Amino acid sequence: MLRELYHETIIDHGRNPRHFGVLPEANHIKEGFNPLCGDKIKLFVDEHNGVIRAVAFDGSGCAISMASASLMAEHLKGKTLKEAQAIFDLFHLLIMKGELTVAQQTQLGKLRVLSGVCEFPARVKCATLAWHTLNALLLKDQSTVSTE
Amino acid sequence: MTAFNYKADFPILQQRVHGKPLVFLDSGVTSQKPRCVLDALTQHYSTDYSNVHRGIYQLSERATAAFEATRKKVSQMINAAHPHEIIFTSGTTESINLMASCFGRAHFKAGDEVILSVMEHHSNIVPWQVLQEQMGIKIKVIPINDKGELDLVVYKKLFSPQTKLVSIIHVSNVLGTVNPLQEIIEIAHAHQVPVLVDGAQAFPRMRVDVRALDCDFYTFSAHKAYGPTGVGILYGKAHLLEAMPPYKTGGAMIETVSFEKTTFTKIPYKFEAGTPNIADVVAFSSALHYMENIGIDNITRHEQVLHDYAIEKLKSVNGLKILGNAKNRLGVISFVMDGVHPHDIGTILDREGIAVRAGHHCAMPLMTHFNIPACVRISFGIYNTKEDVDVLVSALTVVQEVFA
């Protein structure tokens, strides 16, 4: 079970997150923070005509939070805002319940590696920080994002 | 001393977690309870329970006697001059809030100063910040050196004619540093400034003698000292408590009430409005007796042996860095590991049956000082053994394997 949570891909993405760093051309920026554990993220999204051209993030946190942000950034590149919302809902289902249909699993692609989180309820907020930050960003929520 | 197995006294420690024996290394956050405390709780509710200080019937007399016996016991254990210098609160946090509100209103005005330290727990920072906002007081902060010891040279310079209180932690809940209270208090008293001590991590582990220390106020929590939750102690020198107005008012703390004028009763009841946490206060007596039967000095010895053993073993783990290395340390040990976030360490240790704490430990300014978002913290209780430390160190190699 531990190996499922700390899947090779997660360790890899946690250690060497993709799309890490400031995105100068971003037209949406939002911060997310989990005060109880110290995961911090700053999300940069370059969006044009309802299409996500690029996502990047800056921050520090546990392997789960960083890997989740990294995999999210990879996955959402080129997706429409509508598609991103659908993936957000599906991802939430994955880490809360862990059971998805084959079709749903295919939609999530590499994000599936985070399915192990459902066995570790205390870590759900780590896995969802980047996603909740993105959600708030796209819904233009002004309040501080936290998954606490 | 460590030949004695106290683990058997604690029912909750007999279980397995994820198929492994539970190794509880988070007594710094709260301690587990020996059977005698659990029995005392049930016993009280089954035979003596009633409201206290109010009834004229048998049950009430017995409940009141049991309640006041705890007050007397605490007073005795910390060598207070009199039981009425012991106030029951809901915990250390409430005690400090009480001080900020009541001592604050009695003695502070805009521009007055309180001295804290960078290693304080949030409960000894935020209430003073509230006073800062409400009343315009100033907060001055004692820094630490790179060993995690208070810089007393700077401390001496922080005093001014506006300083009204020093509020300081006895044993750090992150660094384990045991602060030189005698010296700190002497310096404050030389400036006619009283001292409040946060003894939450200290009381469960060492002898506290408030008159030898000559501290003006001392606070700790029952739940960290093998007692139930919801009970805190605030000790204060009688004349100082008498000069403070209460903040929590209503029943039990009055002499007479009329719509024209209400008068308050004497200490300690002045600060104990409403129905107290009766059964838990009563059961706390059993925890205190349990500690005394083992012997406070024996408890300190037990803790020191484990503490030193753990430091030695942890130092041998590659890539592990212990926070602070004060000359005098006891209680908690906090550390970070290269390339692995504390949260991840905590999850992996949990899977090995080991309970540790990972986070900022309610000491964000201290985390900022060390430039880390969080760290892992272990702490001991009377039920821990050297084997527990060995299990921990072995599990840390699992952490390294996962993140290799």
Side-chain angles (χ1 to χ4, degrees):
Chain A
M1 208 164 282
L2 198 63
R3 296 290 166 183
E4 280 156 30
L5 179 67
Y6 288 106
H7 192 277
E8 247 177 79
T9 309
I10 292 173
I11 303 277
D12 178 30
H13 277 257
R15 190 174 287 151
N16 304 304
R18 319 314 194 234
H19 309 281
F20 188 75
V22 175
L23 194 69
E25 58 272 28
N27 52 358
H28 301 283
I29 300 175
K30 189 127 184 93
E31 282 184 344
F33 180 50
N34 278 339
L36 241 51
C37 67
D39 295 333
K40 234 194 293 221
I41 189 171
K42 192 170 186 178
L43 208 59
F44 303 89
V45 176
D46 172 19
E47 174 258 333
H48 190 71
N49 284 339
V51 176
I52 297 171
R53 293 201 291 207
V55 179
F57 73 100
D58 204 342
S60 67
C62 63
I64 307 296
S65 67
M66 295 293 103
S68 183
S70 173
L71 290 162
M72 180 187 84
E74 238 182 23
H75 196 88
L76 291 181
K77 190 182 165 94
K79 300 279 192 297
T80 66
L81 292 182
K82 216 170 158 195
E83 284 170 332
Q85 180 69 60
I87 294 167
F88 170 72
D89 293 335
L90 216 50
F91 181 73
H92 219 245
L93 201 61
L94 176 79
I95 59 163
M96 297 295 280
K97 296 250 168 67
E99 287 156 19
L100 294 180
T101 65
V102 175
Q104 287 172 324
Q105 284 179 44
T106 314
Q107 234 189 307
L108 283 178
K110 233 184 193 175
L111 293 170
R112 280 184 351 259
V113 298
L114 283 158
S115 64
V117 174
C118 68
E119 301 289 338
F120 296 78
R123 308 303 300 280
V124 166
K125 55 184 165 59
C126 306
T128 53
L129 180 61
W131 289 90
H132 280 283
T133 309
L134 178 85
N135 204 37
L137 188 58
L138 299 177
L139 296 174
K140 302 260 186 281
D141 179 355
Q142 291 308 306
S143 60
T144 318
V145 175
S146 169
T147 45
E148 291 288 328
Chain B
M1 201 55 236
T2 47
F4 287 85
N5 181 6
Y6 296 105
K7 216 174 271 224
D9 292 340
F10 295 80
I12 203 172
L13 295 177
Q14 313 313 317
Q15 65 185 272
R16 294 176 88 84
V17 164
H18 303 301
K20 311 257 164 78
L22 169 61
V23 173
F24 189 76
L25 292 176
D26 198 14
S27 295
V29 88
T30 195
S31 64
Q32 299 300 347
K33 321 303 169 198
R35 181 167 291 291
C36 60
V37 169
L38 309 176
D39 289 346
L41 207 53
T42 313
Q43 160 77 325
H44 181 77
Y45 277 122
S46 305
T47 56
D48 296 335
Y49 176 72
S50 171
N51 211 330
V52 294
H53 307 128
R54 294 157 176 75
I56 56 168
Y57 46 85
Q58 249 278 298
L59 280 186
S60 178
E61 275 172 41
R62 293 207 306 253
T64 302
F67 185 85
E68 290 301 326
T70 302
R71 193 189 309 273
K72 195 155 175 227
K73 183 87 206 139
V74 171
S75 168
Q76 206 174 39
M77 271 180 88
I78 65 174
N79 193 27
H82 199 282
H84 63 225
E85 293 182 318
I86 305 299
I87 297 174
F88 289 122
T89 62
S90 65
T92 307
T93 299
E94 195 202 341
S95 298
I96 302 177
N97 273 271
L98 189 160
M99 282 296 296
S101 174
C102 306
F103 186 89
R105 270 179 296 138
H107 299 285
F108 279 83
K109 57 183 192 306
D112 282 342
E113 295 165 2
V114 63
I115 296 177
L116 310 176
S117 85
V118 74
M119 62 162 84
E120 296 308 313
H121 185 283
H122 293 167
S123 63
N124 195 25
I125 298 175
V126 185
W128 305 109
Q129 291 178 311
V130 170
L131 218 58
Q132 189 174 51
E133 202 180 298
Q134 285 175 347
M135 223 191 240
I137 71 159
K138 291 206 174 92
I139 295 172
K140 289 204 169 143
V141 183
I142 311 169
I144 51 173
N145 61 22
D146 51 14
K147 283 209 194 129
E149 295 162 332
L150 293 177
D151 187 333
L152 295 186
V153 172
V154 174
Y155 168 58
K156 288 182 188 149
K157 297 195 182 123
L158 294 178
F159 284 87
S160 85
Q162 278 70 50
T163 312
K164 289 293 174 341
L165 182 74
V166 172
S167 190
I168 196 88
I169 197 164
H170 189 166
V171 175
S172 167
N173 73 310
V174 174
L175 306 169
T177 305
V178 179
N179 286 324
L181 284 189
Q182 220 113 27
E183 209 182 327
I184 290 170
I185 293 167
E186 258 165 40
I187 293 167
H189 286 177
H191 292 273
Q192 285 88 51
V193 173
V195 181
L196 161 65
V197 179
D198 167 6
Q201 297 292 334
F203 178 80
R205 312 191 149 79
M206 55 204 276
R207 189 175 295 285
V208 173
D209 184 331
V210 294
R211 278 192 284 179
L213 289 173
D214 197 26
C215 55
D216 303 279
F217 301 93
Y218 195 96
T219 175
F220 57 91
S221 302
H223 73 89
K224 290 205 208 298
Y226 310 103
T229 49
V231 176
I233 306 294
L234 173 65
Y235 156 79
K237 288 178 180 169
H239 71 278
L240 293 175
L241 291 175
E242 276 154 8
M244 288 158 52
Y247 84 97
K248 193 165 71 168
T249 57
M253 49 75 70
I254 48 92
E255 264 177 3
T256 61
V257 178
S258 77
F259 282 108
E260 284 71 47
K261 185 178 168 61
T262 287
T263 56
F264 301 141
T265 189
K266 296 195 182 60
I267 58 168
Y269 309 111
K270 183 173 75 167
F271 293 104
E272 295 181 0
T275 298
N277 194 356
I278 301 165
D280 290 314
V281 166
V282 170
F284 186 36
S285 251
S286 297
L288 296 173
H289 281 286
Y290 181 80
M291 284 174 72
E292 272 197 333
N293 284 342
I294 295 172
I296 307 299
D297 294 334
N298 289 330
I299 291 176
T300 308
R301 210 170 354 249
H302 176 100
E303 289 252 359
Q304 196 70 65
V305 164
L306 282 181
H307 191 95
D308 296 342
Y309 182 70
I311 298 252
E312 183 201 315
K313 286 264 140 167
L314 288 170
K315 276 188 177 156
S316 71
V317 177
N318 268 338
L320 185 148
K321 181 162 176 283
I322 296 172
L323 253 58
N325 73 333
K327 193 153 151 278
N328 277 338
R329 50 175 306 166
L330 188 66
V332 311
I333 300 170
S334 296
F335 62 87
V336 291
M337 283 173 83
D338 283 340
V340 196
H341 192 276
H343 231 196
D344 297 309
I345 299 171
T347 297
I348 296 171
L349 290 180
D350 173 51
R351 289 279 137 167
E352 299 295 310
I354 305 168
V356 301
R357 182 131 180 230
H360 54 62
H361 313 291
C362 297
M364 276 189 181
L366 196 55
M367 296 296 108
T368 306
H369 172 92
F370 284 101
N371 204 19
I372 51 174
C375 54
V376 179
R377 188 188 77 176
I378 64 165
S379 46
F380 302 110
I382 196 61
Y383 31 69
N384 292 116
T385 60
K386 280 184 174 173
E387 287 69 41
D388 291 341
V389 177
D390 294 337
V391 169
L392 167 74
V393 174
S394 169
L396 288 175
T397 62
V398 175
V399 172
Q400 288 175 321
E401 276 165 25
V402 172
F403 279 83

